[in-house]
Amino acid sequence: MNSQAMKTAFTFLFALLSTAALALPGDYLAQQPTKGDFALVGKSSVATILLDEKDHKGLKRAVQSLQQDIQKVSGKSLSISPKADAKQLLIIGSLGNNRVLDQLITTGKLDVSAIQGRWEAYLIQVIEQPLPGVEQALVIAGSDKRGAIFGVYDLAETIGVSPWSWWADVPVKKQEQLYIKAGTRLTDAPKVKYRGIFLNDEHPALTNWTSEKFGGYNSQFYQHVFELLLRLKSNFLWPAMWNNAFADDDPQNAILADEMGIVMSNSHHEPMMRADKEWNRYGKGPWEYSSNRDNIYKFWQEGAKRHKNLESIYTLGMRGQEDEPMSEGENIGLLEQVVADQRQILTETFKDKPISQVPQVWALYKEVQGFYERGMRVPDDVTLLWADDNYGNIRRLPTAEERGRAGGAGVYYHFDYVGSPRSYRWINTVPMAKIWEQMNLAWQFQADRIWIVNVGDLKPMEFPIDFFLRMAWNPPAFKADNLEQFAVSWATQQFSAGHAATIAELIQGYTTHNGRRKPEAVEPHTYSIFHYQEAERVSQELAALVKKSDELFRQLPTEQRDAYIQLVSHPLKASQAVYELNRAVAMNKLHGEQGRVTTTYWAEQVRFWFKQDAELTNIYHNLGDGRWNHMMSQPHIGFTYWRNPPANLMPVVSVAEPMPVADMGVAPEGSAFSWPISEYKGQPLELDPFYPHGQKQRAIEVFNKGSLPFEFNAKASADWIQLSQTKGQIEVAQTIQVKIDWSKVKTGLNVGEVHVQGTGWGGAKIKVSAVKPKTEPTSGFVEADGYIALDAASAKVQGNNKHSWWQLIPGHGRGVASMAAMTELDYQIKDIGKAPYLEYPLYFHSTGEFILHSVIAPTLDLVPGRGLRFAVALNNDAPKLVDSLANKNPAVWDNAVLDGVRVIKTAIRVKKPGEHKLRIYLVDPALVLQKLMIDTGGLKPSYLGPEQSQRIPVVLEAAALLTAPFAPVT
């Protein structure tokens, strides 16, 4: 089964069989009203919204938004009143701030014990005859301000208003009548306390957009950011900071955040609620604590004072300006003094409460984690914010001892990054399954105080932002087997159920591609144009997705098309454009070196895709009469080192000016050499050997180096060599497909040739060899073409148990699915031989010592002192322990994060031909296996590696996987 077919099978099967399907809003809206349903907007009536005047300003804002949402959906407006003077009431309030809620609780009409005293909890309930003269009420009660606000926005989603209605032009779903199901009662509350985003690396895109639309990063802009966060049931923000200072640019920014219910903090290198740029504006002397302590101390005092009455989390510690390491180097003593002084400032500022009740965080980012690992500690009430490696791989998580800290722990994650080995700031490149796999570990290891993610400009990251924040609300609800269903549910919310499966496939498709390698890091040589039809296969995958996207676009209602371009088709087509541009550069270089007339064609293709990229940006910027102008202006073509170029740079190309003659060239598949150049250099031309269970056909290209046509003929030296054509006329190029008639091949090595004649003396002779093994394989993945290639998910899982298990993760990695090592918390391996293992049936024709290439995710050793280990065995041999992180060379990490995988090489010995079983044993949690390749002498260099080897008997891998004994994720 090819990769696209397997992907389709998985999408269908998991959507069909998912045991824990995820719906986004509540399911309490009655599609067909029945007796007893609450009429929010009835056929001839509308409810009245009851809101107490003394309730929070932020809740009043949310209720006004809900009022507008109901108007957009139904065309009817609900009035807002402080009095219970209607037969149908929508009662909204926070506990202790709404007299009618208090009355319902006192009279026993409303039981709030499920939310009382909880953080940000809400209750939504239909009540019959709650008050004299009131027939029915729908109650939205919050345990606190944000609890009530989240309940309000849950109702807004439920009636058909996407959180992305403003930010992505998602139209509301019209419905003249809105009824809430009789008997509705639901409660909810978040499991991660602080859940938010970081606006970062915001120039040129977001900065130019905000300047044009709002005049800068002011409260008019931030109002929309805050509302988006609240609609996604999020509560936390690190504001834009490249050339901005949140509380100083507009004093209303911080005040509005507090009013609306957003907890503010500053990024990992901006201590004490002071922006980095504020030091540039007001600081005196150098940003050096060792020499300028007094001025920096006063600077921080002002930050604490300014935010004393605003809900905030104070970042502790210190880095150099503009997010650089401190110039004092690894001076732990100095950093400890910094933290002590910051705590003293907070103690002096908050005299009405103990400092343990003032939220504080220490971000263990980059070199700061090294301070911690070498023994530096902060007080127990400070939250430790562990970071990923800037490429989505968490560096460290709490140990059993650290999990007892009062301040708890959190995670700082990245969808966007500026820095080495390559910046990525343009579009979404992080697959949903990758986010889930890493953040599921964070949840398991109880890093649950803060989840914050760097989202760059915000706008291109709609889908992963939505996923990250919803998962932060309730991590246990998200499991490996319902991720695909989340994508379908999300697409349903933004568009419609009828197109949701296709849209989910398109989003997953382009993010899978970008997860293989980020567009900024794709280069002409990344994907092989010589081996395994790799570059062409990727091209075909993207073209198929784009074709499907264009067909769907034509079916969409006009009002959905702007949203579709933003959320689906633009990132897909933009990803394709960057890929095809680089592929065209590679082909242009090859054809130029071979002197082909098609050199100019590929140069034109480079220009076409470069212009296509610009046109896609132009289309985006002109949506809605320029509504999103500048938002896709981040340069992304022409990287020569980690930093982006000043603008997209057109690659250098070669152009051919063929003479008015006929001049033949011949090139075999898999080689950069061509005739007649090869003959001059003494380089024989040959096709890779054929094997019965390997690649079925290989190609010989006959091409023109001049502008006049010529006749060619091709002849095989043996009857077992089959040619798709033996003659023809060449104007540009033609391909001869070479196949083997295995009924005419003798056992062992068979050697022949194909002789191609046209212009020039003698013609080209291409060696053809075919190897027919002595025995016919009986079962398993068969060695052919010098390797056995295996998709990790094709394993039979053995020995899963409640302590440790292999988990299938659809959509993870370069292919259809990955296999992840899952364990209970603080698991320690006792006997590797008894551990769960993945088993792959193999059939070898050859013997000897071969190299096993294990392709794993670039996960880090997030459990201190452990490594990231697995074990390998052939048949019943003793498992051989392998540490995937044994090589600590920084260049190894560079390559791993750029490639999106780490390749571990292990020697295995095959003593006799025939059936064998390869086993991969679970040792440490967090290892994620994507692919296995055994090089038996013919594995060729490529980026993705060959497709999975032929298996005997042939099985439907997707169906087989569903019957494997996978344990649930706990």
Side-chain angles (χ1 to χ4, degrees):
M1 181 182 287
N2 63 38
S3 61
Q4 188 57 46
M6 277 193 76
K7 184 174 292 187
T8 301
F10 270 111
T11 300
F12 171 73
L13 288 168
F14 280 96
L16 183 66
L17 300 179
S18 174
T19 58
L22 290 175
L24 300 188
D27 60 354
Y28 48 89
L29 184 69
Q31 299 305 315
Q32 296 294 331
T34 59
K35 185 178 179 181
D37 291 345
F38 174 81
L40 189 64
V41 176
K43 189 173 182 180
S44 57
S45 66
V46 295
T48 295
I49 301 174
L50 189 150
L51 180 67
D52 200 304
E53 293 176 341
K54 71 176 182 179
D55 222 322
H56 299 282
K57 290 182 179 179
L59 178 58
K60 293 176 182 178
R61 281 182 174 269
V63 171
Q64 288 167 355
S65 293
L66 176 64
Q67 183 187 40
Q68 295 166 9
D69 290 346
I70 293 171
Q71 168 77 34
K72 292 173 185 176
V73 172
S74 68
K76 297 178 182 178
S77 180
L78 276 61
S79 61
I80 300 175
S81 171
K83 299 179 180 179
D85 55 1
K87 292 184 178 181
Q88 300 282 99
L89 284 179
L90 171 54
I91 304 171
I92 302 174
S94 57
L95 298 186
N97 294 299
N98 185 298
R99 58 181 179 76
V100 175
L101 280 183
D102 292 343
Q103 183 179 345
L104 294 177
I105 295 167
T106 301
T107 58
K109 291 284 187 177
L110 185 66
D111 179 4
V112 296
S113 59
I115 65 169
Q116 200 153 26
R118 298 178 67 187
W119 175 264
E120 298 178 347
Y122 64 86
L123 162 69
I124 299 177
Q125 183 174 347
V126 172
I127 301 177
E128 301 296 327
Q129 299 178 337
L131 300 163
V134 179
E135 294 178 356
Q136 258 185 330
L138 174 64
V139 173
I140 300 177
S143 62
D144 52 24
K145 174 173 68 175
R146 278 190 297 272
I149 291 171
F150 295 148
V152 166
Y153 284 128
D154 192 278
L155 177 59
E157 273 195 271
T158 296
I159 66 172
V161 179
S162 166
W164 298 99
S165 178
W166 193 90
W167 276 98
D169 302 317
V170 176
V172 301
K173 296 182 178 176
K174 304 285 188 178
Q175 193 166 333
E176 291 185 1
Q177 299 177 42
L178 298 171
Y179 284 85
I180 305 302
K181 293 177 183 177
T184 290
R185 178 182 167 87
L186 66 91
T187 60
D188 208 354
K191 292 183 168 58
V192 174
K193 187 169 186 179
Y194 297 105
R195 311 163 304 283
I197 64 174
F198 176 21
L199 300 178
N200 192 216
D201 310 328
E202 64 270 13
H203 184 82
L206 185 62
T207 293
N208 288 337
W209 180 78
T210 55
S211 296
E212 178 180 297
K213 305 302 180 184
F214 299 101
Y217 289 96
N218 52 35
S219 55
Q220 288 77 33
F221 161 73
Y222 274 111
Q223 176 185 346
H224 296 289
V225 177
F226 299 155
E227 184 172 320
L228 173 68
L229 292 176
L230 295 170
R231 285 181 181 271
L232 291 169
K233 300 192 177 107
S234 166
N235 61 3
F236 188 50
L237 179 68
W238 284 357
M241 44 65 66
W242 261 31
N243 197 33
N244 311 292
F246 176 78
D248 191 58
D249 291 340
D250 180 352
Q252 288 301 310
N253 282 345
I255 294 170
L256 180 65
D258 186 72
E259 177 184 309
M260 292 184 69
I262 299 299
V263 182
M264 293 303 303
S265 188
N266 283 92
S267 65
H268 52 86
H269 73 104
E270 298 179 296
M272 300 295 289
M273 298 305 299
R274 296 304 300 265
D276 179 74
K277 292 300 178 284
E278 287 188 81
W279 181 257
N280 294 348
R281 299 172 187 177
Y282 309 116
K284 297 179 181 179
W287 182 256
E288 301 281 356
Y289 208 69
S290 58
S291 61
N292 196 26
R293 175 181 179 271
D294 290 347
N295 284 325
I296 296 174
Y297 191 97
K298 293 175 183 176
F299 177 74
W300 287 339
Q301 281 181 314
E302 293 167 6
K305 180 181 178 181
R306 183 175 64 193
H307 286 265
K308 177 182 179 181
N309 298 316
L310 305 176
E311 198 172 4
S312 310
I313 300 179
Y314 291 84
T315 298
L316 303 185
M318 186 177 185
R319 295 191 84 218
Q321 276 205 284
E322 298 184 354
D323 202 12
E324 294 292 330
M326 288 196 305
S327 59
E328 292 93 345
E330 298 181 356
N331 190 338
I332 291 178
L334 179 62
L335 191 55
E336 288 177 331
Q337 181 62 52
V338 165
V339 172
D341 286 354
Q342 290 167 341
R343 297 268 292 181
Q344 180 60 35
I345 291 170
L346 294 176
T347 300
E348 294 169 351
T349 303
F350 292 92
K351 295 180 180 179
D352 59 336
K353 66 177 75 172
I355 192 172
S356 60
Q357 294 180 15
V358 179
Q360 302 154 70
V361 62
W362 186 31
L364 300 168
Y365 181 69
K366 287 192 174 180
E367 83 285 346
V368 180
Q369 182 177 326
F371 298 156
Y372 184 89
E373 304 294 7
R374 288 189 295 278
M376 179 179 168
R377 294 293 182 266
V378 293
D380 194 62
D381 56 88
V382 177
T383 301
L384 299 180
L385 188 67
W386 300 102
D388 68 357
D389 61 354
N390 302 304
Y391 274 78
N393 308 293
I394 297 174
R395 296 176 64 198
R396 172 86 142 71
L397 285 173
T399 62
E401 179 183 5
E402 291 162 348
R403 289 195 291 272
R405 298 180 71 261
V411 170
Y412 169 35
Y413 203 71
H414 285 76
F415 296 160
D416 166 289
Y417 176 60
V418 169
S420 181
R422 186 64 57 89
S423 298
Y424 61 99
R425 303 168 52 192
W426 177 40
I427 56 175
N428 176 24
T429 65
V430 187
M432 173 178 59
K434 166 79 171 183
I435 302 167
W436 175 83
E437 181 262 327
Q438 287 288 293
M439 297 312 296
N440 182 65
L441 288 166
W443 171 250
Q444 183 187 17
F445 281 79
Q446 298 174 22
D448 56 7
R449 188 62 55 89
I450 299 172
W451 282 16
I452 187 163
V453 58
N454 187 327
V455 302
D457 298 309
L458 189 153
K459 191 67 188 78
M461 308 296 181
E462 296 95 341
F463 180 75
I465 288 172
D466 199 307
F467 178 80
F468 183 92
L469 294 178
R470 290 189 194 273
M471 184 176 176
W473 178 269
N474 187 10
F478 290 76
K479 302 181 185 298
D481 64 356
N482 66 16
L483 299 179
E484 295 286 343
Q485 184 57 42
F486 173 85
V488 173
S489 296
W490 191 83
T492 299
Q493 184 186 69
Q494 316 317 319
F495 301 100
S496 67
H499 298 305
T502 300
I503 290 171
E505 178 190 346
L506 296 173
I507 293 173
Q508 297 288 74
Y510 89 77
T511 50
T512 293
H513 171 75
N514 290 341
R516 292 169 176 167
R517 195 172 185 91
K518 299 182 185 302
E520 294 90 336
V522 172
E523 296 175 333
H525 62 267
T526 299
Y527 292 92
S528 176
I529 60 174
F530 299 113
H531 304 130
Y532 311 123
Q533 296 86 46
E534 182 173 83
E536 185 178 353
R537 280 194 289 119
V538 174
S539 180
Q540 291 171 351
E541 288 177 7
L542 291 171
L545 291 171
V546 168
K547 180 181 179 182
K548 186 173 289 189
S549 175
D550 286 345
E551 291 171 350
L552 192 154
F553 181 79
R554 289 189 289 270
Q555 300 173 40
L556 290 175
T558 302
E559 64 269 17
Q560 292 184 358
R561 291 184 174 181
D562 280 10
Y564 184 80
I565 289 170
Q566 295 166 58
L567 300 175
V568 185
S569 71
H570 175 83
L572 168 59
K573 289 184 174 183
S575 302
Q576 179 197 36
V578 171
Y579 171 78
E580 291 294 359
L581 179 144
N582 281 279
R583 174 175 174 246
V585 172
M587 296 298 290
N588 173 255
K589 182 175 184 293
L590 174 66
H591 285 209
E593 290 170 348
Q594 294 179 344
R596 299 194 190 200
V597 69
T598 47
T599 301
T600 299
Y601 165 79
W602 285 108
E604 291 169 350
Q605 284 294 294
V606 175
R607 294 191 188 97
F608 169 82
W609 288 109
F610 188 78
K611 291 178 181 177
Q612 177 74 354
D613 174 84
E615 178 59 22
L616 289 169
T617 299
N618 186 56
I619 291 171
Y620 196 107
H621 287 171
N622 282 285
L623 293 173
D625 295 324
R627 177 161 161 74
W628 302 110
N629 189 32
H630 305 294
M631 199 58 94
M632 286 296 115
S633 57
Q634 171 61 44
H636 50 275
I637 298 173
F639 280 77
T640 56
Y641 69 124
W642 67 264
R643 187 184 291 278
N644 63 267
N648 290 328
L649 302 179
M650 168 70 186
V652 175
V653 295
S654 301
V655 178
E657 295 186 7
M659 298 298 290
V661 296
D663 189 10
M664 182 179 78
V666 180
E669 178 184 335
S671 173
F673 292 100
S674 64
W675 182 90
I677 299 172
S678 60
E679 193 166 297
Y680 303 150
K681 294 186 176 183
Q683 176 67 41
L685 298 180
E686 60 182 325
L687 293 172
D688 290 335
F690 286 88
Y691 294 82
H693 295 89
Q695 187 172 320
K696 299 304 180 186
Q697 59 185 25
R698 303 187 191 279
I700 297 172
E701 279 194 280
V702 185
F703 58 86
N704 201 344
K705 298 194 288 182
S707 60
L708 298 181
F710 64 87
E711 302 287 333
F712 83 93
N713 63 73
K715 183 177 181 181
S717 65
D719 62 354
W720 49 268
I721 302 175
Q722 298 179 325
L723 305 180
S724 61
Q725 58 191 105
T726 57
K727 61 182 178 180
Q729 184 180 66
I730 302 295
E731 293 185 4
V732 177
Q734 289 191 36
T735 300
I736 302 171
Q737 295 292 347
V738 182
K739 299 176 70 174
I740 304 300
D741 184 347
W742 290 103
S743 67
K744 297 178 180 179
V745 174
K746 66 180 182 181
T747 300
L749 175 63
N750 301 262
V751 179
E753 68 178 22
V754 175
H755 188 191
V756 181
Q757 292 179 298
T759 68
W761 181 81
K765 294 181 179 179
I766 299 94
K767 178 182 174 182
V768 180
S769 55
V771 180
K772 187 174 184 179
K774 295 179 182 179
T775 58
E776 185 69 20
T778 51
S779 68
F781 295 96
V782 182
E783 177 195 358
D785 298 341
Y787 65 84
I788 298 178
L790 307 162
D791 294 330
S794 294
K796 181 178 181 181
V797 182
Q798 302 278 24
N800 274 357
N801 58 74
K802 65 180 182 179
H803 305 294
S804 58
W805 61 94
W806 287 102
Q807 173 69 59
L808 175 80
I809 307 181
H812 191 290
R814 293 175 163 188
V816 173
S818 293
M819 299 301 297
M822 301 279 191
T823 69
E824 64 185 357
L825 196 58
D826 301 323
Y827 170 82
Q828 294 288 339
I829 187 73
K830 295 179 181 178
D831 184 346
I832 294 176
K834 295 181 180 178
Y837 59 88
L838 305 173
E839 184 174 271
Y840 304 87
L842 311 175
Y843 193 97
F844 287 96
H845 291 297
S846 53
T847 60
E849 184 171 280
F850 304 134
I851 299 299
L852 169 67
H853 299 241
S854 300
V855 181
I856 64 174
T859 312
L860 298 174
D861 47 349
L862 43 82
V863 179
R866 169 170 234 159
L868 192 66
R869 302 167 297 171
F870 62 102
V872 176
L874 201 60
N875 304 317
N876 293 315
D877 294 349
K880 181 188 298 185
L881 193 63
V882 179
D883 186 355
S884 64
L885 298 176
N887 190 340
K888 302 295 186 182
N889 189 320
V892 174
W893 175 83
D894 284 357
N895 290 332
V897 295
L898 288 176
D899 293 345
V901 297
R902 187 178 287 110
V903 181
I904 309 301
K905 298 180 181 180
T906 313
I908 61 172
R909 179 169 292 279
V910 178
K911 298 178 181 178
K912 62 179 182 178
E915 296 180 10
H916 295 267
K917 291 180 179 178
L918 176 67
R919 293 174 178 172
I920 306 296
Y921 288 82
L922 188 156
V923 179
D924 288 330
L927 182 117
V928 182
L929 182 66
Q930 298 186 9
K931 191 180 184 75
L932 296 161
M933 297 174 289
I934 303 170
D935 184 0
T936 61
L939 187 66
K940 305 293 183 180
S942 67
Y943 189 69
L944 300 176
E947 294 188 283
Q948 181 162 265
S949 297
Q950 184 176 336
R951 183 176 185 177
I952 298 177
V954 177
V955 298
L956 177 62
E957 290 91 341
L961 281 168
L962 288 173
T963 63
F966 298 120
V969 179
T970 56

